[in-house]
Amino acid sequence: MIITLKKDAPKGEVEKLIGGIEAKGLSTNLIEGASYNVFGVVGDTTILDEKVIAANPVVDNVVRVAAPYKKANRVFHPADSVIHVGGIPVGGQEDVVVIGGPCSVETEEGLLEIAEGVRDAGGRMLRGGAYKPRTSPYAFQGQGSVGIQWMAEARQRYGLPIVSELMSVEKLEEFDQNVDLIQVGARNMQNFDLLKALGSTRKPVLLKRGLANTIEEWLMAAEYIMAGGNDNVILCERGIRTFEKYTRNTLDLSVVPIVKQKSHLPIIIDPSHATGDWRLVESMSLAAIAAGADGLIVEVHNNPECAWSDGSQSLKPDRFKTMIKKGRVIANVVGRGM
C-alpha cells in the first residue's frame, strides 16, 4: 500500500497515522519529496481499510500495490540499488561485472590455474561450487570446507572476490566468514528457512531464479531476505524449464527489462546453466549485455573434457577472454563499461 500525504501535513498527525499502522504489526518506509511525502506500508495490508486511511485529513491519496513484494519494489525505491561485493559495485550504471570459474571446486592446483585464467581474461570475481547439489546422489558432491579454503587462497593470490553456493542454514556461518557473494541455487530459491537466515547477515546474496518459478515468485524470494534486514540481493536468471530439448533450460532474457521495471535490484545472467552448451554461451552473454544485464556468471574450466561436473557448458580461459573482449564492445553501445 502506498500512502501520499498532503503538502505541509503536520508532523504530529503524520506520526500518529504511522504509529497506528505500525501498531497493527506492519512496517512503513517513508520517502520524503520536495512537495509531498509518500510512505509504503509493508506486510499484510489486507487488515487495513484504505477508505478509513483516505479519510484522515493528512492523507492525499491511498493506492494498493498489486505486487506483494515491497522492499524489492521499485515503487518504494526508485533509484537502482548498487550492491558492493568485495569492493566491486554491481548494478546501476556501473560496469558490467563478469564472474567466471568452475562448476565444482575439484583440486587446489586446478582451481588456482583457472582463477589465474579468469583474472587474466578480465573476469572480476571467481565462482566455484564447494558444496554441490546434484540430481544423482552418486555424482560428485563437492569438496566442502576444503574447497572453500582453496577459494579463499585463490582470492588472496589473484584478488578475485569469491562466489559459492550455500546449501543449508548449518553452513551459513562458514560462508558468512569466508565467501564474498553467497549464492542461493535454483533448487533453493524457495527454501524459506534458508532465505530467512540470509536476512540476518549483511553479506551480499546472489539469488538464482527457480527451475519453474515466475518472476513474482522470484522477487518474493528476494523479499524474504530483505524483510530480514539484508538489502544486499543480486538476482540471477539461469534459465527456466520448458518443453524445449535443444538447450538445458530456456534462457528468459526478457526478464532483464522486466526486472528493471519492477525492481531496483541488480540482475545478472547465467548463460552456462541456461544453455548447457559452451557453444551457445558467448552469444547469449552478448545478448544479455545488450538487454541491460548488470553482469554475467560463466562457467570456466581449463580442461572441460575432464571436468568433474558440467564440462559441456564450460568455456576454456581463451574463449572466456574472447567473450569478454566482444562483450566490452556491446557494453559500450548500451552506455556501460565492462
Side-chain angles (χ1 to χ4, degrees):
M1 179 178 287
I2 303 172
I3 301 175
T4 304
L5 303 175
K6 290 181 178 177
K7 187 177 181 180
D8 301 324
K11 183 177 180 181
E13 292 299 314
V14 172
E15 290 176 348
K16 184 178 179 180
L17 172 63
I18 292 176
I21 292 172
E22 291 181 344
K24 297 180 182 294
L26 303 170
S27 60
T28 60
N29 294 321
L30 180 65
I31 303 173
E32 296 183 338
S35 301
Y36 292 90
N37 289 335
V38 177
F39 68 89
V41 181
V42 181
D44 182 11
T45 59
T46 58
I47 63 176
L48 297 178
D49 187 337
E50 62 263 39
K51 293 182 179 179
V52 173
I53 295 174
N56 190 301
V58 301
V59 173
D60 182 68
N61 189 35
V62 180
V63 177
R64 286 195 178 274
V65 179
Y69 50 90
K70 304 297 188 296
K71 290 182 176 293
N73 199 318
R74 186 174 286 279
V75 170
F76 302 124
H77 195 298
D80 291 333
S81 285
V82 177
I83 310 301
H84 289 82
V85 181
I88 297 175
V90 182
Q93 290 303 306
E94 301 290 342
D95 290 353
V96 177
V97 175
V98 183
I99 305 166
C103 172
S104 301
V105 176
E106 300 167 354
T107 66
E108 182 178 15
E109 181 182 2
L111 177 66
L112 293 174
E113 184 178 340
I114 294 170
E116 183 177 20
V118 168
R119 182 202 62 183
D120 292 347
R124 303 290 303 282
M125 301 183 204
L126 176 68
R127 63 148 292 149
Y131 298 90
K132 290 301 300 178
R134 305 300 300 278
T135 302
S136 170
Y138 309 112
F140 174 61
Q141 304 291 314
Q143 297 286 12
S145 294
V146 174
I148 294 291
Q149 294 307 312
W150 290 344
M151 290 196 71
E153 171 63 24
R155 173 179 56 204
Q156 182 176 359
R157 186 173 298 192
Y158 299 109
L160 300 171
I162 58 176
V163 185
S164 197
E165 181 174 351
L166 176 65
M167 294 287 294
S168 64
V169 175
E170 288 74 19
K171 299 294 181 181
L172 178 57
E173 183 177 356
E174 178 184 16
F175 275 66
D176 196 27
Q177 293 177 356
N178 296 287
V179 177
D180 298 291
L181 178 57
I182 301 175
Q183 176 181 312
V184 175
R187 293 172 178 82
N188 273 318
M189 191 206 83
Q190 289 186 308
N191 182 340
F192 299 120
D193 286 340
L194 181 61
L195 300 179
K196 289 177 182 178
L198 285 166
S200 67
T201 180
R202 296 300 176 266
K203 190 62 68 76
V205 176
L206 180 66
L207 179 64
K208 287 198 167 186
R209 184 182 183 184
L211 299 172
N213 287 104
T214 65
I215 295 171
E216 184 169 291
E217 289 169 340
W218 185 23
L219 290 171
M220 283 302 294
E223 192 80 4
Y224 264 90
I225 300 170
M226 300 175 76
N230 186 359
D231 293 332
N232 300 306
V233 179
I234 301 172
L235 302 170
C236 180
E237 161 68 27
R238 43 81 70 203
I240 52 177
R241 181 167 291 172
T242 69
F243 51 81
E244 183 53 64
K245 296 182 178 180
Y246 278 102
T247 54
R248 179 175 180 174
N249 296 291
T250 297
L251 178 57
D252 182 9
L253 283 180
S254 67
V255 79
V256 176
I258 292 173
V259 162
K260 294 284 186 179
Q261 178 187 7
K262 301 293 184 182
S263 178
H264 55 91
L265 298 176
I267 176 171
I268 71 173
I269 299 297
D270 178 351
S272 302
H273 281 91
T275 64
D277 186 341
W278 68 267
R279 292 166 295 187
L280 304 177
V281 168
E282 180 183 291
S283 59
M284 292 300 95
S285 296
L286 300 181
I289 296 169
D294 297 303
L296 303 167
I297 181 167
V298 178
E299 293 196 351
V300 180
H301 199 288
N302 54 355
N303 190 13
E305 297 86 352
C306 299
W308 296 5
S309 62
D310 288 351
S312 62
Q313 63 192 38
S314 299
L315 295 182
K316 291 184 177 180
D318 59 340
R319 292 186 179 275
F320 182 61
K321 184 175 183 178
T322 299
M323 183 205 76
I324 291 179
K325 184 178 180 180
K326 293 180 180 179
R328 289 187 177 123
V329 177
I330 303 298
N332 184 62
V333 171
V334 296
R336 303 283 290 272
M338 182 170 169

